[in-house]
Amino acid sequence: MIRPIRAALAAAVLCVCASAPAGAASPLSLDDAFRRVIETHPDLASYRFTQDARRAEADLARQAPPLRLAVDAENLLGTGGASGFLGAELTLSLASVIERGGKRDARLGVADERLQGVALLREAKRLDLLAEVARRYLDATAATALAALARDDLAQREQLVAAATARRKAGIEHSSAPLAAEAARLRVAADMERTVRAASHARRRLAVLWGDTGVDFDLAPIDLSALPSLPDYDALVRLLAETPELQQFAHEARLREARLQLARTARVADIDWQVGVRRLQAGSDWGLVGSVSIPFGSPSRAEPGIRAAEAELSAIEFEREGQRRALQATLAEAWGQLDLAIAHARRIQIDVLPALQRAAEAAERSYRAGASSHLEWTQLQGEIVVARRDRLDAVLTAHRALIELQRLTGQTFAVAAGTDNGTTP
C-alpha cells in the first residue's frame, strides 16, 4: 500500500481527474506514475539487498565463539633420546572462548538496530522519489497548460489580423497595421510550437523515472485553475517530528546506545579455555591436559572505547536539533512561498484579469468602430496573456511549495484536501 503522501499529492496538489474517452487508452494519472516508480525504480529495489546484508550481519552476531580443534606434537626429530619419533608427545585438544559481560547480546543488539534502520532509509528515499514524480508530473501538465494559453493567444491574434485586413481593404487602415498584426501572430505561433515541444520533453523526463523513453501517453486532465488551501503552519511544525529524516535520529540514538553497551561489555574479560589428551610415545601412556587464560587490565583497556561511544551518543541530540531547525527553515520558506503564491494568484483572478478583459473588449469595439488604432487592442491582448501566465506561474509555485511541505512532513494534513479557485477574497 502506498503511504499517505500518495493521497496527499494526488488529491491536494493536482486534483487529478482520471476520466478518458471510451475506446481510448486511459491517460496517465499521478497515482499511476507513483505506482510505476515504486515498482520499478532501482533506488528502492536496492534496499532489499541492503536488508539481506543486515540480516546476515545479525545472524553472524548471533553466533557463539567457535570451537577450535588443535593437534600439537612435541619432541619430534630431535637428537639422542628424542631422535625420530621415539620421544614424541602428541596432544589433541578442544578450545574456545567463554564470552562474559553480555557481549553476544550487545553485539546482536547493534546488528538488530542496523537492520531496523534500513526501513527508515527506504521510506525517506521513497518520499523523495514520490515528491520528484509529483514535480515532474506538474511540470508536464504546466507545459500543456502553457501551450493552451498560447493557442488562445494565437486565436486572438488571428482575430486582430482579420480585423486589420478588413479595415485595410476598406481603406481606413494603413498597410502597416495588418503586417504588424501578422508579425505578432507569427511570433505567437512560434511560441506555441515551442511550448508544445516543451510539453513532449516534460513527459519524457517523467517517463524516465520508471525507465521508459517514450512520450506516447497522455496525462489525466488537471484543473490548474484551482488553488490549494493554505495549511496551518503550527500544525505542519508539529507534523515535522514524524518525518523520516528526524525519525532516523531516534533510530541512530538507539543504535549508538547499543554500541555504547557493546563497548561497556569489554570491561569484563573473556575466558580462553582448552582441554585435551596427551599421548606419551615412550610409555604409550595417556594424560589429560587443560588450560584457562584470563587477560588482565580489561577495564582500563575498555575505557577509551566507552568514552568514544558516550561522546557519540551525547552528540546525537545536538545533531537532531540542528537538522530539525534546518528542516523547519525549509518548511517556513515553502509555507511562505505557498502563502504568497495563493495571494498573488487570487488577486490576479479577482482584480487584474476582469479589469484587463473589460478594457480589451472596449478597445476592440473602439477599433472596429474606427475610433482607435490597433496598437491599443494589441497591447491589451498581450497584457491579458501576461496576466494569465502570471497567474499560472503563481498556481504552479503554490503546488510546488505544497509538494515540498508534504515531502518534509511525509503525511496528509486535512486542511490540504480542499482547494480554492481564487474567486473569493
PDB file of all heavy atoms in Angstrom, residues 204-225:
ATOM      1  N   ARG A 204       8.708  13.150 -21.334  1.00  0.00           N
ATOM      2  CA  ARG A 204       9.839  12.221 -21.394  1.00  0.00           C
ATOM      3  C   ARG A 204      10.615  12.229 -20.073  1.00  0.00           C
ATOM      4  O   ARG A 204      11.041  11.182 -19.584  1.00  0.00           O
ATOM      5  CB  ARG A 204      10.753  12.590 -22.557  1.00  0.00           C
ATOM      6  CG  ARG A 204      11.975  11.672 -22.674  1.00  0.00           C
ATOM      7  CD  ARG A 204      12.787  11.924 -23.914  1.00  0.00           C
ATOM      8  NE  ARG A 204      12.149  11.354 -25.098  1.00  0.00           N
ATOM      9  CZ  ARG A 204      11.573  12.048 -26.069  1.00  0.00           C
ATOM     10  NH1 ARG A 204      11.566  13.378 -26.001  1.00  0.00           N
ATOM     11  NH2 ARG A 204      11.011  11.468 -27.105  1.00  0.00           N
ATOM     12  N   ARG A 205      10.831  13.407 -19.492  1.00  0.00           N
ATOM     13  CA  ARG A 205      11.513  13.483 -18.191  1.00  0.00           C
ATOM     14  C   ARG A 205      10.744  12.720 -17.125  1.00  0.00           C
ATOM     15  O   ARG A 205      11.340  12.098 -16.234  1.00  0.00           O
ATOM     16  CB  ARG A 205      11.670  14.946 -17.747  1.00  0.00           C
ATOM     17  CG  ARG A 205      12.712  15.725 -18.484  1.00  0.00           C
ATOM     18  CD  ARG A 205      12.910  17.099 -17.883  1.00  0.00           C
ATOM     19  NE  ARG A 205      13.479  17.015 -16.558  1.00  0.00           N
ATOM     20  CZ  ARG A 205      12.839  17.336 -15.442  1.00  0.00           C
ATOM     21  NH1 ARG A 205      11.572  17.734 -15.477  1.00  0.00           N
ATOM     22  NH2 ARG A 205      13.436  17.255 -14.273  1.00  0.00           N
ATOM     23  N   LEU A 206       9.418  12.751 -17.212  1.00  0.00           N
ATOM     24  CA  LEU A 206       8.602  12.000 -16.258  1.00  0.00           C
ATOM     25  C   LEU A 206       8.754  10.503 -16.496  1.00  0.00           C
ATOM     26  O   LEU A 206       8.930   9.731 -15.547  1.00  0.00           O
ATOM     27  CB  LEU A 206       7.136  12.419 -16.395  1.00  0.00           C
ATOM     28  CG  LEU A 206       6.107  11.633 -15.572  1.00  0.00           C
ATOM     29  CD1 LEU A 206       6.376  11.814 -14.084  1.00  0.00           C
ATOM     30  CD2 LEU A 206       4.693  12.079 -15.921  1.00  0.00           C
ATOM     31  N   ALA A 207       8.709  10.066 -17.759  1.00  0.00           N
ATOM     32  CA  ALA A 207       8.769   8.640 -18.073  1.00  0.00           C
ATOM     33  C   ALA A 207      10.109   8.022 -17.693  1.00  0.00           C
ATOM     34  O   ALA A 207      10.177   6.833 -17.378  1.00  0.00           O
ATOM     35  CB  ALA A 207       8.488   8.417 -19.556  1.00  0.00           C
ATOM     36  N   VAL A 208      11.161   8.836 -17.709  1.00  0.00           N
ATOM     37  CA  VAL A 208      12.484   8.316 -17.356  1.00  0.00           C
ATOM     38  C   VAL A 208      12.493   7.752 -15.937  1.00  0.00           C
ATOM     39  O   VAL A 208      13.242   6.815 -15.629  1.00  0.00           O
ATOM     40  CB  VAL A 208      13.545   9.427 -17.518  1.00  0.00           C
ATOM     41  CG1 VAL A 208      14.856   9.057 -16.836  1.00  0.00           C
ATOM     42  CG2 VAL A 208      13.807   9.678 -19.000  1.00  0.00           C
ATOM     43  N   LEU A 209      11.666   8.272 -15.057  1.00  0.00           N
ATOM     44  CA  LEU A 209      11.649   7.822 -13.669  1.00  0.00           C
ATOM     45  C   LEU A 209      11.256   6.357 -13.535  1.00  0.00           C
ATOM     46  O   LEU A 209      11.641   5.708 -12.563  1.00  0.00           O
ATOM     47  CB  LEU A 209      10.699   8.700 -12.841  1.00  0.00           C
ATOM     48  CG  LEU A 209      11.200  10.107 -12.517  1.00  0.00           C
ATOM     49  CD1 LEU A 209      10.118  10.911 -11.807  1.00  0.00           C
ATOM     50  CD2 LEU A 209      12.457  10.051 -11.667  1.00  0.00           C
ATOM     51  N   TRP A 210      10.463   5.838 -14.463  1.00  0.00           N
ATOM     52  CA  TRP A 210      10.158   4.400 -14.410  1.00  0.00           C
ATOM     53  C   TRP A 210      10.846   3.640 -15.549  1.00  0.00           C
ATOM     54  O   TRP A 210      10.432   2.547 -15.942  1.00  0.00           O
ATOM     55  CB  TRP A 210       8.649   4.136 -14.411  1.00  0.00           C
ATOM     56  CG  TRP A 210       7.887   4.699 -15.571  1.00  0.00           C
ATOM     57  CD1 TRP A 210       7.787   4.196 -16.835  1.00  0.00           C
ATOM     58  CD2 TRP A 210       7.074   5.886 -15.552  1.00  0.00           C
ATOM     59  NE1 TRP A 210       6.983   4.990 -17.608  1.00  0.00           N
ATOM     60  CE2 TRP A 210       6.528   6.029 -16.846  1.00  0.00           C
ATOM     61  CE3 TRP A 210       6.763   6.827 -14.581  1.00  0.00           C
ATOM     62  CZ2 TRP A 210       5.681   7.088 -17.183  1.00  0.00           C
ATOM     63  CZ3 TRP A 210       5.935   7.876 -14.910  1.00  0.00           C
ATOM     64  CH2 TRP A 210       5.405   7.997 -16.194  1.00  0.00           C
ATOM     65  N   GLY A 211      11.887   4.228 -16.115  1.00  0.00           N
ATOM     66  CA  GLY A 211      12.723   3.521 -17.068  1.00  0.00           C
ATOM     67  C   GLY A 211      12.219   3.510 -18.482  1.00  0.00           C
ATOM     68  O   GLY A 211      12.666   2.696 -19.303  1.00  0.00           O
ATOM     69  N   ASP A 212      11.298   4.406 -18.834  1.00  0.00           N
ATOM     70  CA  ASP A 212      10.760   4.479 -20.186  1.00  0.00           C
ATOM     71  C   ASP A 212      11.388   5.665 -20.910  1.00  0.00           C
ATOM     72  O   ASP A 212      11.874   6.608 -20.274  1.00  0.00           O
ATOM     73  CB  ASP A 212       9.234   4.622 -20.146  1.00  0.00           C
ATOM     74  CG  ASP A 212       8.586   4.276 -21.468  1.00  0.00           C
ATOM     75  OD1 ASP A 212       9.321   3.967 -22.433  1.00  0.00           O
ATOM     76  OD2 ASP A 212       7.343   4.311 -21.548  1.00  0.00           O
ATOM     77  N   THR A 213      11.376   5.618 -22.233  1.00  0.00           N
ATOM     78  CA  THR A 213      11.918   6.724 -23.024  1.00  0.00           C
ATOM     79  C   THR A 213      10.893   7.320 -23.973  1.00  0.00           C
ATOM     80  O   THR A 213      11.180   8.295 -24.658  1.00  0.00           O
ATOM     81  CB  THR A 213      13.135   6.256 -23.846  1.00  0.00           C
ATOM     82  OG1 THR A 213      12.748   5.167 -24.700  1.00  0.00           O
ATOM     83  CG2 THR A 213      14.262   5.803 -22.929  1.00  0.00           C
ATOM     84  N   GLY A 214       9.711   6.727 -24.043  1.00  0.00           N
ATOM     85  CA  GLY A 214       8.689   7.208 -24.957  1.00  0.00           C
ATOM     86  C   GLY A 214       7.836   8.309 -24.354  1.00  0.00           C
ATOM     87  O   GLY A 214       7.813   8.525 -23.144  1.00  0.00           O
ATOM     88  N   VAL A 215       7.137   9.002 -25.238  1.00  0.00           N
ATOM     89  CA  VAL A 215       6.232  10.075 -24.794  1.00  0.00           C
ATOM     90  C   VAL A 215       4.827   9.828 -25.351  1.00  0.00           C
ATOM     91  O   VAL A 215       4.010  10.757 -25.391  1.00  0.00           O
ATOM     92  CB  VAL A 215       6.752  11.452 -25.251  1.00  0.00           C
ATOM     93  CG1 VAL A 215       8.057  11.785 -24.569  1.00  0.00           C
ATOM     94  CG2 VAL A 215       6.937  11.499 -26.783  1.00  0.00           C
ATOM     95  N   ASP A 216       4.551   8.592 -25.780  1.00  0.00           N
ATOM     96  CA  ASP A 216       3.267   8.284 -26.394  1.00  0.00           C
ATOM     97  C   ASP A 216       2.221   7.958 -25.333  1.00  0.00           C
ATOM     98  O   ASP A 216       1.619   6.886 -25.314  1.00  0.00           O
ATOM     99  CB  ASP A 216       3.423   7.115 -27.362  1.00  0.00           C
ATOM    100  CG  ASP A 216       4.054   5.899 -26.719  1.00  0.00           C
ATOM    101  OD1 ASP A 216       4.662   6.064 -25.635  1.00  0.00           O
ATOM    102  OD2 ASP A 216       3.931   4.794 -27.279  1.00  0.00           O
ATOM    103  N   PHE A 217       2.021   8.879 -24.407  1.00  0.00           N
ATOM    104  CA  PHE A 217       0.969   8.735 -23.400  1.00  0.00           C
ATOM    105  C   PHE A 217       0.431  10.121 -23.074  1.00  0.00           C
ATOM    106  O   PHE A 217       1.121  11.129 -23.229  1.00  0.00           O
ATOM    107  CB  PHE A 217       1.496   8.059 -22.129  1.00  0.00           C
ATOM    108  CG  PHE A 217       2.608   8.814 -21.438  1.00  0.00           C
ATOM    109  CD1 PHE A 217       2.326   9.761 -20.468  1.00  0.00           C
ATOM    110  CD2 PHE A 217       3.940   8.566 -21.767  1.00  0.00           C
ATOM    111  CE1 PHE A 217       3.348  10.447 -19.828  1.00  0.00           C
ATOM    112  CE2 PHE A 217       4.957   9.249 -21.129  1.00  0.00           C
ATOM    113  CZ  PHE A 217       4.669  10.188 -20.166  1.00  0.00           C
ATOM    114  N   ASP A 218      -0.805  10.134 -22.666  1.00  0.00           N
ATOM    115  CA  ASP A 218      -1.457  11.384 -22.272  1.00  0.00           C
ATOM    116  C   ASP A 218      -1.562  11.445 -20.762  1.00  0.00           C
ATOM    117  O   ASP A 218      -1.636  10.415 -20.086  1.00  0.00           O
ATOM    118  CB  ASP A 218      -2.855  11.495 -22.898  1.00  0.00           C
ATOM    119  CG  ASP A 218      -2.796  11.584 -24.419  1.00  0.00           C
ATOM    120  OD1 ASP A 218      -1.850  12.222 -24.921  1.00  0.00           O
ATOM    121  OD2 ASP A 218      -3.686  11.015 -25.084  1.00  0.00           O
ATOM    122  N   LEU A 219      -1.584  12.648 -20.254  1.00  0.00           N
ATOM    123  CA  LEU A 219      -1.747  12.849 -18.818  1.00  0.00           C
ATOM    124  C   LEU A 219      -3.218  13.063 -18.493  1.00  0.00           C
ATOM    125  O   LEU A 219      -3.971  13.630 -19.297  1.00  0.00           O
ATOM    126  CB  LEU A 219      -0.924  14.050 -18.347  1.00  0.00           C
ATOM    127  CG  LEU A 219       0.584  13.964 -18.573  1.00  0.00           C
ATOM    128  CD1 LEU A 219       1.268  15.224 -18.068  1.00  0.00           C
ATOM    129  CD2 LEU A 219       1.165  12.739 -17.891  1.00  0.00           C
ATOM    130  N   ALA A 220      -3.628  12.619 -17.339  1.00  0.00           N
ATOM    131  CA  ALA A 220      -5.008  12.819 -16.917  1.00  0.00           C
ATOM    132  C   ALA A 220      -5.298  14.314 -16.815  1.00  0.00           C
ATOM    133  O   ALA A 220      -4.435  15.097 -16.410  1.00  0.00           O
ATOM    134  CB  ALA A 220      -5.247  12.142 -15.571  1.00  0.00           C
ATOM    135  N   PRO A 221      -6.516  14.730 -17.187  1.00  0.00           N
ATOM    136  CA  PRO A 221      -6.864  16.152 -17.106  1.00  0.00           C
ATOM    137  C   PRO A 221      -6.714  16.690 -15.695  1.00  0.00           C
ATOM    138  O   PRO A 221      -7.061  16.026 -14.717  1.00  0.00           O
ATOM    139  CB  PRO A 221      -8.332  16.178 -17.557  1.00  0.00           C
ATOM    140  CG  PRO A 221      -8.518  14.932 -18.347  1.00  0.00           C
ATOM    141  CD  PRO A 221      -7.614  13.913 -17.723  1.00  0.00           C
ATOM    142  N   ILE A 222      -6.186  17.894 -15.608  1.00  0.00           N
ATOM    143  CA  ILE A 222      -5.930  18.512 -14.304  1.00  0.00           C
ATOM    144  C   ILE A 222      -6.505  19.916 -14.309  1.00  0.00           C
ATOM    145  O   ILE A 222      -6.384  20.656 -15.288  1.00  0.00           O
ATOM    146  CB  ILE A 222      -4.416  18.561 -14.024  1.00  0.00           C
ATOM    147  CG1 ILE A 222      -3.884  17.147 -13.841  1.00  0.00           C
ATOM    148  CG2 ILE A 222      -4.103  19.398 -12.791  1.00  0.00           C
ATOM    149  CD1 ILE A 222      -2.393  17.087 -13.730  1.00  0.00           C
ATOM    150  N   ASP A 223      -7.115  20.294 -13.228  1.00  0.00           N
ATOM    151  CA  ASP A 223      -7.680  21.633 -13.087  1.00  0.00           C
ATOM    152  C   ASP A 223      -6.645  22.540 -12.437  1.00  0.00           C
ATOM    153  O   ASP A 223      -6.572  22.633 -11.210  1.00  0.00           O
ATOM    154  CB  ASP A 223      -8.961  21.579 -12.256  1.00  0.00           C
ATOM    155  CG  ASP A 223      -9.623  22.952 -12.144  1.00  0.00           C
ATOM    156  OD1 ASP A 223      -9.224  23.860 -12.909  1.00  0.00           O
ATOM    157  OD2 ASP A 223     -10.513  23.114 -11.295  1.00  0.00           O
ATOM    158  N   LEU A 224      -5.832  23.192 -13.259  1.00  0.00           N
ATOM    159  CA  LEU A 224      -4.818  24.101 -12.717  1.00  0.00           C
ATOM    160  C   LEU A 224      -5.388  25.475 -12.381  1.00  0.00           C
ATOM    161  O   LEU A 224      -4.638  26.359 -11.977  1.00  0.00           O
ATOM    162  CB  LEU A 224      -3.666  24.248 -13.722  1.00  0.00           C
ATOM    163  CG  LEU A 224      -2.721  23.054 -13.815  1.00  0.00           C
ATOM    164  CD1 LEU A 224      -1.639  23.307 -14.842  1.00  0.00           C
ATOM    165  CD2 LEU A 224      -2.103  22.734 -12.471  1.00  0.00           C
ATOM    166  N   SER A 225      -6.691  25.658 -12.580  1.00  0.00           N
ATOM    167  CA  SER A 225      -7.280  26.927 -12.163  1.00  0.00           C
ATOM    168  C   SER A 225      -7.564  26.945 -10.664  1.00  0.00           C
ATOM    169  O   SER A 225      -7.823  28.006 -10.086  1.00  0.00           O
ATOM    170  CB  SER A 225      -8.584  27.180 -12.927  1.00  0.00           C
ATOM    171  OG  SER A 225      -9.563  26.210 -12.588  1.00  0.00           O
TER     172      SER A 225
END
